């Protein structure tokens, strides 16, 4: 950690987690996907190995593959074996459709720390419609079971939105039955296709309040599976994630995102390039980026001004605020606190 140990922590000496979009290719076209509008070309296998070297040198602990479907990369397993040999704990998010028994075995052999399978509803038809892929629920459940049979630690990844916010307890029960150690109930973002489909899929602030008022007690009493949210607006309920190291969004404080072409952004949902993993000095980007400095020192704006919760939530999710208002300091559009000064919607710009 940097600076006076008694001071508020704004960021660590290096990211704890780097989320890496190793490919933008995907065999699904999900309604909420942030990356389907990204035309970035992916790196060569040789350049991908260089990325691993850089992250290991910078003492990054966790490397998560996401964005498109990681299993479409032919070098996925050799790349992972190299990363694991360098001390990185490697995870990935997958839709599960390409994961058969042989792939599950290879996943274990490569040394994955855990694998997240996307399941958005315990009702097959609802999941399939959201993922725009008939039969995808059955394949995701099969993938989850195959991974557990191989002894690969499993998480279930779910995007909370209009299609599932009312029946999430059944989703938690399914994840528990599949043997997942954690279910991540991700809050809906407004980037990429998620932005285009926001009106149909996003919840209103009051719906988000009611969701969390039901979900947090379930998290607190559930003993058989961990339930994670990672949403700064939980501060409004006094229900922040346990053990959280920084206030507000973790983007640019605990984590960074690497696009398929090597460009670095604060997170996958904030499409602002702050460097390139192979052309720029990683430490200089992490410590010297003006964009990251802004994210780490956000000022209260609009209805956040004077709010007693601002010091813990720092305006909520920066990605959502940026997507909707075009400003890092704007209040999270999911925030249900009483309205204050109006925030004007702008076209996002760096």
């Amino acid at each position: 950690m940097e600076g006076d140990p008694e001071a508020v922590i704004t960021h660590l000496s290096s990211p704890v987690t780097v989320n890496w979009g190793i490919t933008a290719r995907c065999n699904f076209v999900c309604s909420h996907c942030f990356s389907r509008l990204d035309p970035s070309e992916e790196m060569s296998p040789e350049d991908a190995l260089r990325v691993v070297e850089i992250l290991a040198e910078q003492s990054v602990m966790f490397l998560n593959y996401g964005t498109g479907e990681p299993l479409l990369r032919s070098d996925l397993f050799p790349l992972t074996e190299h990363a694991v040999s360098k001390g990185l704990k490697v995870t990935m998010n997958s839709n599960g459709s390409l994961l058969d028994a042989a792939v599950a075995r290879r996943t274990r052999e490569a040394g994955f720390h855990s694998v997240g399978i996307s399941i958005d509803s315990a009702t097959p038809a609802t999941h399939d419609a959201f993922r725009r892929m008939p039969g995808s629920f059955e394949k995701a459940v099969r993938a989850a079971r195959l991974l557990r049979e191989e002894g690969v630690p499993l998480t279930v990844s779910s995007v909370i939105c209009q299609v599932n916010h009312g029946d999430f307890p059944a989703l938690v029960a399914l994840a528990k039955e599949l043997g997942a150690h954690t279910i991540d109930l991700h809050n809906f973002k407004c980037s990429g296709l998620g932005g285009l489909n926001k009106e149909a899929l996003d919840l209103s602030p009051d719906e988000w309040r009611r969701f969390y008022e039901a979900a947090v007690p379930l998290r607190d009493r559930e003993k058989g599976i961990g339930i994670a949210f990672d949403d700064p607006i939980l501060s409004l309920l006094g229900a922040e994630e346990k053990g959280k190291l920084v206030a507000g969004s973790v983007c640019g404080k605990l984590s960074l995102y690497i696009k398929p072409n090597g460009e670095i952004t604060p997170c996958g949902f904030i499409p602002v390039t702050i460097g390139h993993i192979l052309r720029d000095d990683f430490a200089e980007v992490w410590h010297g980026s003006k964009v990251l400095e802004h994210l780490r020192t956000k000022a209260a704006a609009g209805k956040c001004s004077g709010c007693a919760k601002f010091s813990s939530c720092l305006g909520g999710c920066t990605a959502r605020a940026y997507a909707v208002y075009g400003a890092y300091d704007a209040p999270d559009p999911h925030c249900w606190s009483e309205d204050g000064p109006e925030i004007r919607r702008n076209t996002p710009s760096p």
Side-chain angles (χ1 to χ4, degrees), residues 55-231:
L55 299 182
E57 289 170 1
Q58 295 298 317
S59 300
V60 171
M61 293 178 62
F62 293 93
L63 175 61
N64 179 65
Y65 306 139
T67 304
E69 173 51 53
L71 288 170
L72 288 172
R73 284 271 315 208
S74 61
D75 62 334
L76 176 69
F77 295 120
L79 180 66
T80 300
E81 288 168 340
H82 184 61
V84 171
S85 75
K86 293 294 181 180
L88 290 159
K89 298 183 186 300
V90 183
T91 62
M92 72 171 167
N93 297 325
S94 171
N95 59 40
S97 65
L98 303 176
L99 207 153
D100 58 16
V103 172
R105 182 175 63 254
R106 192 71 182 88
T107 300
R108 172 182 56 78
E109 293 171 347
F112 274 91
H113 184 69
S114 69
V115 173
I117 298 296
S118 295
I119 303 176
D120 297 294
S121 175
T123 303
T126 300
H127 171 91
D128 289 0
F130 182 61
R131 293 279 163 178
R132 296 181 179 179
M133 186 61 63
S136 58
F137 176 86
E138 181 181 352
K139 292 178 180 178
V141 168
R142 180 196 63 185
R145 290 185 170 137
L146 288 171
L147 289 168
R148 292 305 301 126
E149 288 172 7
E150 285 292 338
V152 179
L154 171 70
T155 65
V156 167
S157 180
S158 309
V159 177
I160 297 300
C161 60
Q162 285 292 345
V163 307
N164 59 11
H165 71 100
D167 61 357
F168 68 89
L171 190 54
V172 173
L174 173 62
K176 185 176 178 180
E177 186 269 326
L178 291 173
H181 61 79
T182 302
I183 179 169
D184 291 304
L185 299 180
H186 297 289
N187 51 84
F188 182 83
K189 301 297 194 299
C190 313
S191 301
L193 291 179
L196 295 179
N197 295 314
K198 182 181 186 303
E199 295 303 316
L201 292 175
D202 203 1
L203 308 185
S204 69
D206 191 57
E207 286 173 321
W208 280 111
R209 176 185 60 80
R210 285 185 274 122
F211 165 73
Y212 282 124
E213 285 177 342
V216 169
L218 177 61
R219 178 197 68 181
D220 293 343
R221 67 175 179 265
E222 179 57 63
K223 304 303 181 184
I225 188 172
I227 302 175
F229 305 111
D230 190 25
D231 193 340

Side-chain angles (χ1 to χ4, degrees), residues 310-334:
F310 181 77
S311 62
S312 57
C313 83
L314 296 184
C317 176
T318 305
R320 285 195 298 257
Y322 184 77
V324 174
Y325 300 115
Y328 303 127
D329 294 331
D332 186 337
H334 285 179

Side-chain angles (χ1 to χ4, degrees), residues 299-310:
K303 67 180 182 180
C304 293
S305 301
C307 177
K309 295 292 185 180
F310 181 77

